[in-house]
Amino acid sequence: MRIRATVAAVSGALALSALAVPAAQAGDHSAANLHKPTSGAEVFGTAAKGSSKAAAATRAATAEPVISKVVVNGGKDIVLGTTASKTISVSVTASHASGVVDAYVDLWHGTDPSSENTIDGAILPNDPAKCTKVNATTSTCKLTFTVYPRYDLYKNSLAGTWHVSAGALAGNETDIAFTDFYSTARVQRLSKLTVNAAPEPVKKGGTITITGKLSRANWEDHAYHGYTGQSVKLQFRKKTSSTYTTIKTIKTNSTGNLKTTSKATVDGYWRYSFAGTSTTPAVTTAGDFVDVK
């Protein structure tokens, strides 16, 4: 379970209270938690100020906070292997005439967040947002998330595009902005790529055989398996150069293996480079040096 602190008005001041997600206990990663807040009221808990007719009239007369930017993981894809968790940061920039005192983000996978039958992944923030004023009306709020591949990512079909929910609470503790479809983020299965160029050394004009393997994390059995039928570039750079040139493009076989040959002309480095897919990140090997005699 993730713990999300919600904001409530108590005697005219802000107070924090925990929104407990009932699927599991904190620290229990035995099963994925598929519950997420689906409204600003559920996130921020503004019932104290929103219960009166006067508050309702005030709310109708004022504007919601404007969320101008949400940055997930520094704008980079979220890549997970089979074991290690990853903590990422998210920032929310929002503004309102009365300022902004809290913000919220979660990541979810599916079609309809209001129904647990159509949502198969949810990642909630670790702690309350920490907001810093940019000026009298605007704040940037930061949150962190820890993603556990053996808990949050329990099946391979969760790789790809996730939805980003975002919310903000105005300084008047009444006006709320919230949407389940603010933007998207991409979660990917970690990829690995190897290369071996042989023989070493080789006679000039001889044949160099370059082998390797492209594999990626399997979130269901927690192992790495070959990524089949993928285009991978064979690249070479001379010992005296700093630039790689693509020699040819080949495809991985049914087990993710790579094998091709090339003529030995000069000393240099051989490597494989994979451009990545929507579910799997790009990866390039280090160069494997071959001495040409």
Side-chain angles (χ1 to χ4, degrees):
M1 178 188 73
R2 304 291 196 276
I3 300 297
R4 163 65 189 159
T6 62
V7 179
V10 179
S11 301
L14 291 174
L16 295 177
S17 61
L19 173 64
V21 180
Q25 295 300 312
D28 176 10
H29 303 299
S30 60
N33 170 21
L34 302 182
H35 175 83
K36 68 177 292 300
T38 57
S39 71
E42 185 178 358
V43 170
F44 298 114
T46 58
K49 277 203 168 184
S51 59
S52 68
K53 291 183 179 179
T58 300
R59 191 162 56 249
T62 58
E64 293 181 350
V66 175
I67 302 172
S68 57
K69 183 187 294 186
V70 175
V71 180
V72 178
N73 196 35
K76 299 178 182 179
D77 294 333
I78 303 165
V79 180
L80 274 296
T82 60
T83 305
S85 63
K86 177 172 286 189
T87 298
I88 64 170
S89 61
V90 177
S91 65
V92 180
T93 301
S95 59
H96 188 269
S98 65
V100 170
V101 293
D102 198 10
Y104 175 82
V105 170
D106 65 46
L107 310 179
W108 63 277
H109 189 271
T111 57
D112 181 2
S114 65
S115 171
E116 291 190 4
N117 294 325
T118 59
I119 181 170
D120 58 358
I123 302 171
L124 309 187
N126 295 330
D127 296 299
K130 296 180 180 180
C131 296
T132 302
K133 284 187 177 182
V134 176
N135 53 48
T137 61
T138 304
S139 291
T140 294
C141 305
K142 295 184 178 180
L143 306 96
T144 62
F145 297 72
T146 301
V147 188
Y148 297 85
R150 296 198 177 195
Y151 169 68
D152 299 303
L153 307 174
Y154 61 97
K155 59 181 181 178
N156 293 326
S157 60
L158 290 173
T161 300
W162 284 54
H163 299 286
V164 177
S165 301
L169 177 66
N172 61 19
E173 304 173 40
T174 299
D175 293 309
I176 296 170
F178 185 85
T179 175
D180 281 311
F181 297 92
Y182 181 83
S183 62
T184 60
R186 200 157 65 173
V187 180
Q188 296 183 311
R189 298 160 61 180
L190 180 65
S191 55
K192 295 182 178 182
L193 185 58
T194 63
V195 66
N196 182 54
E200 304 172 47
V202 63
K203 290 184 179 181
K204 187 173 184 178
T207 297
I208 300 173
T209 300
I210 307 97
T211 57
K213 183 171 184 175
L214 175 64
S215 58
R216 61 175 177 167
N218 185 308
W219 292 333
E220 296 173 12
D221 66 6
H222 315 302
Y224 283 84
H225 298 284
Y227 196 5
T228 66
Q230 300 302 309
S231 295
V232 178
K233 292 178 179 180
L234 173 67
Q235 299 180 327
F236 175 76
R237 73 172 175 91
K238 296 178 181 180
K239 182 180 179 180
T240 56
S241 172
S242 60
T243 304
Y244 277 92
T245 300
T246 297
I247 304 301
K248 64 176 77 173
T249 299
I250 63 174
K251 286 194 174 183
T252 58
N253 67 9
S254 60
T255 56
N257 288 314
L258 295 157
K259 184 177 182 180
T260 190
T261 60
S262 189
K263 188 177 181 179
T265 56
V266 295
D267 294 352
Y269 297 84
W270 296 89
R271 73 180 188 183
Y272 279 123
S273 182
F274 172 59
T277 64
S278 62
T279 61
T280 309
V283 60
T284 298
T285 67
D288 187 19
F289 181 73
V290 174
D291 182 16
V292 178
K293 298 294 188 179

PDB file of all heavy atoms in Angstrom, residues 84-120:
ATOM      1  N   ALA A  84      15.208  -5.222  -8.847  1.00  0.00           N
ATOM      2  CA  ALA A  84      15.448  -3.964  -8.138  1.00  0.00           C
ATOM      3  C   ALA A  84      14.300  -2.975  -8.318  1.00  0.00           C
ATOM      4  O   ALA A  84      13.782  -2.801  -9.426  1.00  0.00           O
ATOM      5  CB  ALA A  84      16.749  -3.336  -8.629  1.00  0.00           C
ATOM      6  N   SER A  85      13.910  -2.347  -7.212  1.00  0.00           N
ATOM      7  CA  SER A  85      12.917  -1.284  -7.278  1.00  0.00           C
ATOM      8  C   SER A  85      13.569  -0.014  -7.794  1.00  0.00           C
ATOM      9  O   SER A  85      14.799   0.104  -7.829  1.00  0.00           O
ATOM     10  CB  SER A  85      12.313  -1.034  -5.899  1.00  0.00           C
ATOM     11  OG  SER A  85      13.322  -0.593  -4.994  1.00  0.00           O
ATOM     12  N   LYS A  86      12.755   0.933  -8.192  1.00  0.00           N
ATOM     13  CA  LYS A  86      13.277   2.214  -8.677  1.00  0.00           C
ATOM     14  C   LYS A  86      12.430   3.340  -8.106  1.00  0.00           C
ATOM     15  O   LYS A  86      11.195   3.288  -8.179  1.00  0.00           O
ATOM     16  CB  LYS A  86      13.256   2.259 -10.206  1.00  0.00           C
ATOM     17  CG  LYS A  86      13.709   3.603 -10.769  1.00  0.00           C
ATOM     18  CD  LYS A  86      13.869   3.551 -12.285  1.00  0.00           C
ATOM     19  CE  LYS A  86      15.108   2.777 -12.669  1.00  0.00           C
ATOM     20  NZ  LYS A  86      15.403   2.880 -14.115  1.00  0.00           N
ATOM     21  N   THR A  87      13.085   4.339  -7.525  1.00  0.00           N
ATOM     22  CA  THR A  87      12.386   5.513  -7.010  1.00  0.00           C
ATOM     23  C   THR A  87      12.533   6.650  -8.011  1.00  0.00           C
ATOM     24  O   THR A  87      13.647   6.981  -8.410  1.00  0.00           O
ATOM     25  CB  THR A  87      12.935   5.928  -5.641  1.00  0.00           C
ATOM     26  OG1 THR A  87      12.717   4.857  -4.701  1.00  0.00           O
ATOM     27  CG2 THR A  87      12.221   7.164  -5.124  1.00  0.00           C
ATOM     28  N   ILE A  88      11.409   7.211  -8.400  1.00  0.00           N
ATOM     29  CA  ILE A  88      11.409   8.304  -9.372  1.00  0.00           C
ATOM     30  C   ILE A  88      10.763   9.532  -8.739  1.00  0.00           C
ATOM     31  O   ILE A  88      10.035   9.430  -7.749  1.00  0.00           O
ATOM     32  CB  ILE A  88      10.654   7.918 -10.653  1.00  0.00           C
ATOM     33  CG1 ILE A  88       9.169   7.674 -10.349  1.00  0.00           C
ATOM     34  CG2 ILE A  88      11.272   6.700 -11.304  1.00  0.00           C
ATOM     35  CD1 ILE A  88       8.300   7.531 -11.575  1.00  0.00           C
ATOM     36  N   SER A  89      11.029  10.679  -9.324  1.00  0.00           N
ATOM     37  CA  SER A  89      10.429  11.913  -8.836  1.00  0.00           C
ATOM     38  C   SER A  89       9.477  12.480  -9.882  1.00  0.00           C
ATOM     39  O   SER A  89       9.643  12.262 -11.081  1.00  0.00           O
ATOM     40  CB  SER A  89      11.506  12.946  -8.504  1.00  0.00           C
ATOM     41  OG  SER A  89      12.256  13.262  -9.668  1.00  0.00           O
ATOM     42  N   VAL A  90       8.482  13.205  -9.402  1.00  0.00           N
ATOM     43  CA  VAL A  90       7.499  13.869 -10.257  1.00  0.00           C
ATOM     44  C   VAL A  90       7.324  15.282  -9.738  1.00  0.00           C
ATOM     45  O   VAL A  90       7.251  15.501  -8.524  1.00  0.00           O
ATOM     46  CB  VAL A  90       6.148  13.130 -10.243  1.00  0.00           C
ATOM     47  CG1 VAL A  90       5.125  13.875 -11.085  1.00  0.00           C
ATOM     48  CG2 VAL A  90       6.303  11.701 -10.756  1.00  0.00           C
ATOM     49  N   SER A  91       7.244  16.236 -10.637  1.00  0.00           N
ATOM     50  CA  SER A  91       6.982  17.609 -10.222  1.00  0.00           C
ATOM     51  C   SER A  91       5.709  18.119 -10.888  1.00  0.00           C
ATOM     52  O   SER A  91       5.412  17.772 -12.032  1.00  0.00           O
ATOM     53  CB  SER A  91       8.151  18.518 -10.571  1.00  0.00           C
ATOM     54  OG  SER A  91       8.317  18.619 -11.968  1.00  0.00           O
ATOM     55  N   VAL A  92       4.961  18.920 -10.137  1.00  0.00           N
ATOM     56  CA  VAL A  92       3.717  19.513 -10.623  1.00  0.00           C
ATOM     57  C   VAL A  92       3.821  21.018 -10.435  1.00  0.00           C
ATOM     58  O   VAL A  92       4.080  21.483  -9.326  1.00  0.00           O
ATOM     59  CB  VAL A  92       2.499  18.986  -9.836  1.00  0.00           C
ATOM     60  CG1 VAL A  92       1.213  19.611 -10.365  1.00  0.00           C
ATOM     61  CG2 VAL A  92       2.429  17.469  -9.895  1.00  0.00           C
ATOM     62  N   THR A  93       3.610  21.752 -11.494  1.00  0.00           N
ATOM     63  CA  THR A  93       3.563  23.210 -11.403  1.00  0.00           C
ATOM     64  C   THR A  93       2.132  23.655 -11.646  1.00  0.00           C
ATOM     65  O   THR A  93       1.519  23.286 -12.653  1.00  0.00           O
ATOM     66  CB  THR A  93       4.496  23.868 -12.432  1.00  0.00           C
ATOM     67  OG1 THR A  93       5.839  23.412 -12.202  1.00  0.00           O
ATOM     68  CG2 THR A  93       4.452  25.386 -12.312  1.00  0.00           C
ATOM     69  N   ALA A  94       1.574  24.398 -10.699  1.00  0.00           N
ATOM     70  CA  ALA A  94       0.182  24.835 -10.792  1.00  0.00           C
ATOM     71  C   ALA A  94       0.042  26.239 -10.229  1.00  0.00           C
ATOM     72  O   ALA A  94       0.871  26.693  -9.424  1.00  0.00           O
ATOM     73  CB  ALA A  94      -0.728  23.871 -10.038  1.00  0.00           C
ATOM     74  N   SER A  95      -1.039  26.905 -10.625  1.00  0.00           N
ATOM     75  CA  SER A  95      -1.261  28.278 -10.160  1.00  0.00           C
ATOM     76  C   SER A  95      -2.727  28.526  -9.865  1.00  0.00           C
ATOM     77  O   SER A  95      -3.620  27.847 -10.395  1.00  0.00           O
ATOM     78  CB  SER A  95      -0.760  29.274 -11.204  1.00  0.00           C
ATOM     79  OG  SER A  95      -1.427  29.085 -12.441  1.00  0.00           O
ATOM     80  N   HIS A  96      -2.969  29.512  -9.003  1.00  0.00           N
ATOM     81  CA  HIS A  96      -4.318  29.929  -8.624  1.00  0.00           C
ATOM     82  C   HIS A  96      -4.197  31.301  -7.983  1.00  0.00           C
ATOM     83  O   HIS A  96      -3.144  31.648  -7.423  1.00  0.00           O
ATOM     84  CB  HIS A  96      -4.938  28.930  -7.638  1.00  0.00           C
ATOM     85  CG  HIS A  96      -6.380  29.188  -7.339  1.00  0.00           C
ATOM     86  ND1 HIS A  96      -6.787  29.988  -6.304  1.00  0.00           N
ATOM     87  CD2 HIS A  96      -7.515  28.747  -7.949  1.00  0.00           C
ATOM     88  CE1 HIS A  96      -8.113  30.029  -6.279  1.00  0.00           C
ATOM     89  NE2 HIS A  96      -8.575  29.272  -7.270  1.00  0.00           N
ATOM     90  N   ALA A  97      -5.244  32.080  -8.053  1.00  0.00           N
ATOM     91  CA  ALA A  97      -5.204  33.425  -7.476  1.00  0.00           C
ATOM     92  C   ALA A  97      -4.843  33.405  -6.001  1.00  0.00           C
ATOM     93  O   ALA A  97      -4.190  34.325  -5.487  1.00  0.00           O
ATOM     94  CB  ALA A  97      -6.553  34.109  -7.686  1.00  0.00           C
ATOM     95  N   SER A  98      -5.248  32.365  -5.284  1.00  0.00           N
ATOM     96  CA  SER A  98      -4.952  32.258  -3.859  1.00  0.00           C
ATOM     97  C   SER A  98      -3.695  31.445  -3.577  1.00  0.00           C
ATOM     98  O   SER A  98      -3.374  31.159  -2.423  1.00  0.00           O
ATOM     99  CB  SER A  98      -6.142  31.615  -3.130  1.00  0.00           C
ATOM    100  OG  SER A  98      -6.330  30.283  -3.565  1.00  0.00           O
ATOM    101  N   GLY A  99      -2.987  31.067  -4.629  1.00  0.00           N
ATOM    102  CA  GLY A  99      -1.805  30.236  -4.471  1.00  0.00           C
ATOM    103  C   GLY A  99      -2.159  28.754  -4.545  1.00  0.00           C
ATOM    104  O   GLY A  99      -3.323  28.384  -4.697  1.00  0.00           O
ATOM    105  N   VAL A 100      -1.146  27.904  -4.437  1.00  0.00           N
ATOM    106  CA  VAL A 100      -1.327  26.453  -4.475  1.00  0.00           C
ATOM    107  C   VAL A 100      -0.579  25.855  -3.296  1.00  0.00           C
ATOM    108  O   VAL A 100       0.603  26.146  -3.083  1.00  0.00           O
ATOM    109  CB  VAL A 100      -0.810  25.856  -5.803  1.00  0.00           C
ATOM    110  CG1 VAL A 100      -0.780  24.335  -5.743  1.00  0.00           C
ATOM    111  CG2 VAL A 100      -1.654  26.340  -6.975  1.00  0.00           C
ATOM    112  N   VAL A 101      -1.283  25.011  -2.513  1.00  0.00           N
ATOM    113  CA  VAL A 101      -0.684  24.469  -1.292  1.00  0.00           C
ATOM    114  C   VAL A 101      -0.455  22.962  -1.332  1.00  0.00           C
ATOM    115  O   VAL A 101       0.207  22.410  -0.461  1.00  0.00           O
ATOM    116  CB  VAL A 101      -1.549  24.812  -0.059  1.00  0.00           C
ATOM    117  CG1 VAL A 101      -1.530  26.310   0.199  1.00  0.00           C
ATOM    118  CG2 VAL A 101      -2.968  24.286  -0.215  1.00  0.00           C
ATOM    119  N   ASP A 102      -1.004  22.274  -2.328  1.00  0.00           N
ATOM    120  CA  ASP A 102      -0.804  20.827  -2.397  1.00  0.00           C
ATOM    121  C   ASP A 102      -1.023  20.371  -3.831  1.00  0.00           C
ATOM    122  O   ASP A 102      -1.717  21.034  -4.617  1.00  0.00           O
ATOM    123  CB  ASP A 102      -1.748  20.085  -1.454  1.00  0.00           C
ATOM    124  CG  ASP A 102      -1.300  18.656  -1.177  1.00  0.00           C
ATOM    125  OD1 ASP A 102      -0.161  18.302  -1.564  1.00  0.00           O
ATOM    126  OD2 ASP A 102      -2.077  17.889  -0.591  1.00  0.00           O
ATOM    127  N   ALA A 103      -0.432  19.249  -4.158  1.00  0.00           N
ATOM    128  CA  ALA A 103      -0.602  18.667  -5.490  1.00  0.00           C
ATOM    129  C   ALA A 103      -0.582  17.149  -5.368  1.00  0.00           C
ATOM    130  O   ALA A 103      -0.154  16.595  -4.342  1.00  0.00           O
ATOM    131  CB  ALA A 103       0.485  19.143  -6.439  1.00  0.00           C
ATOM    132  N   TYR A 104      -1.031  16.501  -6.421  1.00  0.00           N
ATOM    133  CA  TYR A 104      -1.139  15.044  -6.400  1.00  0.00           C
ATOM    134  C   TYR A 104      -0.890  14.497  -7.798  1.00  0.00           C
ATOM    135  O   TYR A 104      -1.276  15.100  -8.804  1.00  0.00           O
ATOM    136  CB  TYR A 104      -2.523  14.611  -5.929  1.00  0.00           C
ATOM    137  CG  TYR A 104      -2.747  13.113  -5.989  1.00  0.00           C
ATOM    138  CD1 TYR A 104      -2.277  12.294  -4.968  1.00  0.00           C
ATOM    139  CD2 TYR A 104      -3.407  12.521  -7.067  1.00  0.00           C
ATOM    140  CE1 TYR A 104      -2.466  10.931  -5.017  1.00  0.00           C
ATOM    141  CE2 TYR A 104      -3.594  11.146  -7.119  1.00  0.00           C
ATOM    142  CZ  TYR A 104      -3.124  10.354  -6.095  1.00  0.00           C
ATOM    143  OH  TYR A 104      -3.296   8.998  -6.140  1.00  0.00           O
ATOM    144  N   VAL A 105      -0.245  13.340  -7.858  1.00  0.00           N
ATOM    145  CA  VAL A 105      -0.044  12.616  -9.121  1.00  0.00           C
ATOM    146  C   VAL A 105      -0.110  11.127  -8.817  1.00  0.00           C
ATOM    147  O   VAL A 105       0.356  10.676  -7.760  1.00  0.00           O
ATOM    148  CB  VAL A 105       1.324  12.947  -9.760  1.00  0.00           C
ATOM    149  CG1 VAL A 105       1.623  12.016 -10.935  1.00  0.00           C
ATOM    150  CG2 VAL A 105       1.368  14.386 -10.239  1.00  0.00           C
ATOM    151  N   ASP A 106      -0.705  10.359  -9.709  1.00  0.00           N
ATOM    152  CA  ASP A 106      -0.513   8.910  -9.695  1.00  0.00           C
ATOM    153  C   ASP A 106      -0.405   8.415 -11.124  1.00  0.00           C
ATOM    154  O   ASP A 106      -0.746   9.114 -12.078  1.00  0.00           O
ATOM    155  CB  ASP A 106      -1.601   8.171  -8.903  1.00  0.00           C
ATOM    156  CG  ASP A 106      -2.995   8.285  -9.505  1.00  0.00           C
ATOM    157  OD1 ASP A 106      -3.147   8.106 -10.725  1.00  0.00           O
ATOM    158  OD2 ASP A 106      -3.951   8.537  -8.738  1.00  0.00           O
ATOM    159  N   LEU A 107       0.112   7.209 -11.273  1.00  0.00           N
ATOM    160  CA  LEU A 107       0.236   6.558 -12.575  1.00  0.00           C
ATOM    161  C   LEU A 107      -0.689   5.356 -12.593  1.00  0.00           C
ATOM    162  O   LEU A 107      -0.740   4.598 -11.615  1.00  0.00           O
ATOM    163  CB  LEU A 107       1.679   6.108 -12.825  1.00  0.00           C
ATOM    164  CG  LEU A 107       2.789   7.131 -12.594  1.00  0.00           C
ATOM    165  CD1 LEU A 107       4.150   6.494 -12.857  1.00  0.00           C
ATOM    166  CD2 LEU A 107       2.601   8.345 -13.470  1.00  0.00           C
ATOM    167  N   TRP A 108      -1.411   5.172 -13.686  1.00  0.00           N
ATOM    168  CA  TRP A 108      -2.314   4.028 -13.752  1.00  0.00           C
ATOM    169  C   TRP A 108      -2.388   3.478 -15.164  1.00  0.00           C
ATOM    170  O   TRP A 108      -2.157   4.186 -16.140  1.00  0.00           O
ATOM    171  CB  TRP A 108      -3.705   4.388 -13.217  1.00  0.00           C
ATOM    172  CG  TRP A 108      -4.433   5.450 -13.995  1.00  0.00           C
ATOM    173  CD1 TRP A 108      -4.285   6.799 -13.882  1.00  0.00           C
ATOM    174  CD2 TRP A 108      -5.428   5.238 -15.006  1.00  0.00           C
ATOM    175  NE1 TRP A 108      -5.130   7.445 -14.755  1.00  0.00           N
ATOM    176  CE2 TRP A 108      -5.837   6.514 -15.456  1.00  0.00           C
ATOM    177  CE3 TRP A 108      -6.014   4.107 -15.564  1.00  0.00           C
ATOM    178  CZ2 TRP A 108      -6.811   6.679 -16.441  1.00  0.00           C
ATOM    179  CZ3 TRP A 108      -6.980   4.264 -16.555  1.00  0.00           C
ATOM    180  CH2 TRP A 108      -7.368   5.533 -16.974  1.00  0.00           C
ATOM    181  N   HIS A 109      -2.718   2.193 -15.240  1.00  0.00           N
ATOM    182  CA  HIS A 109      -2.765   1.482 -16.515  1.00  0.00           C
ATOM    183  C   HIS A 109      -4.150   0.862 -16.675  1.00  0.00           C
ATOM    184  O   HIS A 109      -4.636   0.182 -15.781  1.00  0.00           O
ATOM    185  CB  HIS A 109      -1.695   0.392 -16.548  1.00  0.00           C
ATOM    186  CG  HIS A 109      -1.497  -0.265 -17.878  1.00  0.00           C
ATOM    187  ND1 HIS A 109      -2.218  -1.363 -18.270  1.00  0.00           N
ATOM    188  CD2 HIS A 109      -0.665   0.040 -18.902  1.00  0.00           C
ATOM    189  CE1 HIS A 109      -1.830  -1.732 -19.480  1.00  0.00           C
ATOM    190  NE2 HIS A 109      -0.892  -0.897 -19.897  1.00  0.00           N
ATOM    191  N   GLY A 110      -4.781   1.133 -17.802  1.00  0.00           N
ATOM    192  CA  GLY A 110      -6.112   0.609 -18.047  1.00  0.00           C
ATOM    193  C   GLY A 110      -6.934   1.581 -18.851  1.00  0.00           C
ATOM    194  O   GLY A 110      -6.390   2.442 -19.556  1.00  0.00           O
ATOM    195  N   THR A 111      -8.265   1.476 -18.737  1.00  0.00           N
ATOM    196  CA  THR A 111      -9.140   2.342 -19.527  1.00  0.00           C
ATOM    197  C   THR A 111     -10.038   3.232 -18.685  1.00  0.00           C
ATOM    198  O   THR A 111     -10.305   4.367 -19.052  1.00  0.00           O
ATOM    199  CB  THR A 111     -10.030   1.486 -20.451  1.00  0.00           C
ATOM    200  OG1 THR A 111     -10.775   0.546 -19.660  1.00  0.00           O
ATOM    201  CG2 THR A 111      -9.184   0.730 -21.470  1.00  0.00           C
ATOM    202  N   ASP A 112     -10.514   2.736 -17.549  1.00  0.00           N
ATOM    203  CA  ASP A 112     -11.461   3.490 -16.727  1.00  0.00           C
ATOM    204  C   ASP A 112     -11.032   3.397 -15.267  1.00  0.00           C
ATOM    205  O   ASP A 112     -11.245   2.369 -14.619  1.00  0.00           O
ATOM    206  CB  ASP A 112     -12.871   2.926 -16.902  1.00  0.00           C
ATOM    207  CG  ASP A 112     -13.908   3.690 -16.082  1.00  0.00           C
ATOM    208  OD1 ASP A 112     -13.546   4.676 -15.420  1.00  0.00           O
ATOM    209  OD2 ASP A 112     -15.094   3.282 -16.106  1.00  0.00           O
ATOM    210  N   PRO A 113     -10.447   4.461 -14.700  1.00  0.00           N
ATOM    211  CA  PRO A 113      -9.938   4.390 -13.335  1.00  0.00           C
ATOM    212  C   PRO A 113     -11.014   4.230 -12.273  1.00  0.00           C
ATOM    213  O   PRO A 113     -10.722   3.878 -11.132  1.00  0.00           O
ATOM    214  CB  PRO A 113      -9.192   5.716 -13.170  1.00  0.00           C
ATOM    215  CG  PRO A 113      -9.844   6.638 -14.137  1.00  0.00           C
ATOM    216  CD  PRO A 113     -10.225   5.779 -15.310  1.00  0.00           C
ATOM    217  N   SER A 114     -12.262   4.515 -12.622  1.00  0.00           N
ATOM    218  CA  SER A 114     -13.338   4.392 -11.641  1.00  0.00           C
ATOM    219  C   SER A 114     -13.783   2.950 -11.448  1.00  0.00           C
ATOM    220  O   SER A 114     -14.545   2.653 -10.537  1.00  0.00           O
ATOM    221  CB  SER A 114     -14.542   5.240 -12.073  1.00  0.00           C
ATOM    222  OG  SER A 114     -15.105   4.744 -13.277  1.00  0.00           O
ATOM    223  N   SER A 115     -13.294   2.043 -12.291  1.00  0.00           N
ATOM    224  CA  SER A 115     -13.688   0.639 -12.198  1.00  0.00           C
ATOM    225  C   SER A 115     -12.461  -0.241 -12.078  1.00  0.00           C
ATOM    226  O   SER A 115     -11.580  -0.207 -12.949  1.00  0.00           O
ATOM    227  CB  SER A 115     -14.493   0.224 -13.437  1.00  0.00           C
ATOM    228  OG  SER A 115     -14.708  -1.173 -13.452  1.00  0.00           O
ATOM    229  N   GLU A 116     -12.387  -1.013 -11.009  1.00  0.00           N
ATOM    230  CA  GLU A 116     -11.243  -1.901 -10.825  1.00  0.00           C
ATOM    231  C   GLU A 116     -11.247  -3.039 -11.831  1.00  0.00           C
ATOM    232  O   GLU A 116     -10.265  -3.771 -11.957  1.00  0.00           O
ATOM    233  CB  GLU A 116     -11.207  -2.432  -9.393  1.00  0.00           C
ATOM    234  CG  GLU A 116     -10.878  -1.352  -8.379  1.00  0.00           C
ATOM    235  CD  GLU A 116     -10.613  -1.885  -6.993  1.00  0.00           C
ATOM    236  OE1 GLU A 116     -10.614  -3.114  -6.832  1.00  0.00           O
ATOM    237  OE2 GLU A 116     -10.412  -1.061  -6.073  1.00  0.00           O
ATOM    238  N   ASN A 117     -12.346  -3.212 -12.566  1.00  0.00           N
ATOM    239  CA  ASN A 117     -12.394  -4.235 -13.608  1.00  0.00           C
ATOM    240  C   ASN A 117     -11.659  -3.805 -14.868  1.00  0.00           C
ATOM    241  O   ASN A 117     -11.349  -4.639 -15.721  1.00  0.00           O
ATOM    242  CB  ASN A 117     -13.848  -4.567 -13.963  1.00  0.00           C
ATOM    243  CG  ASN A 117     -14.583  -5.227 -12.817  1.00  0.00           C
ATOM    244  OD1 ASN A 117     -13.995  -5.992 -12.056  1.00  0.00           O
ATOM    245  ND2 ASN A 117     -15.866  -4.926 -12.672  1.00  0.00           N
ATOM    246  N   THR A 118     -11.424  -2.491 -15.001  1.00  0.00           N
ATOM    247  CA  THR A 118     -10.776  -1.989 -16.218  1.00  0.00           C
ATOM    248  C   THR A 118      -9.454  -1.290 -15.928  1.00  0.00           C
ATOM    249  O   THR A 118      -8.895  -0.631 -16.793  1.00  0.00           O
ATOM    250  CB  THR A 118     -11.701  -1.010 -16.965  1.00  0.00           C
ATOM    251  OG1 THR A 118     -12.025   0.085 -16.110  1.00  0.00           O
ATOM    252  CG2 THR A 118     -12.984  -1.701 -17.415  1.00  0.00           C
ATOM    253  N   ILE A 119      -8.945  -1.425 -14.717  1.00  0.00           N
ATOM    254  CA  ILE A 119      -7.635  -0.890 -14.367  1.00  0.00           C
ATOM    255  C   ILE A 119      -6.785  -2.045 -13.847  1.00  0.00           C
ATOM    256  O   ILE A 119      -7.206  -2.789 -12.962  1.00  0.00           O
ATOM    257  CB  ILE A 119      -7.750   0.245 -13.321  1.00  0.00           C
ATOM    258  CG1 ILE A 119      -6.383   0.811 -12.990  1.00  0.00           C
ATOM    259  CG2 ILE A 119      -8.453  -0.209 -12.066  1.00  0.00           C
ATOM    260  CD1 ILE A 119      -6.430   2.074 -12.149  1.00  0.00           C
ATOM    261  N   ASP A 120      -5.619  -2.243 -14.452  1.00  0.00           N
ATOM    262  CA  ASP A 120      -4.780  -3.379 -14.054  1.00  0.00           C
ATOM    263  C   ASP A 120      -3.414  -2.954 -13.524  1.00  0.00           C
ATOM    264  O   ASP A 120      -2.549  -3.791 -13.311  1.00  0.00           O
ATOM    265  CB  ASP A 120      -4.622  -4.368 -15.207  1.00  0.00           C
ATOM    266  CG  ASP A 120      -4.022  -3.740 -16.459  1.00  0.00           C
ATOM    267  OD1 ASP A 120      -3.753  -2.528 -16.448  1.00  0.00           O
ATOM    268  OD2 ASP A 120      -3.831  -4.472 -17.444  1.00  0.00           O
TER     269      ASP A 120
END
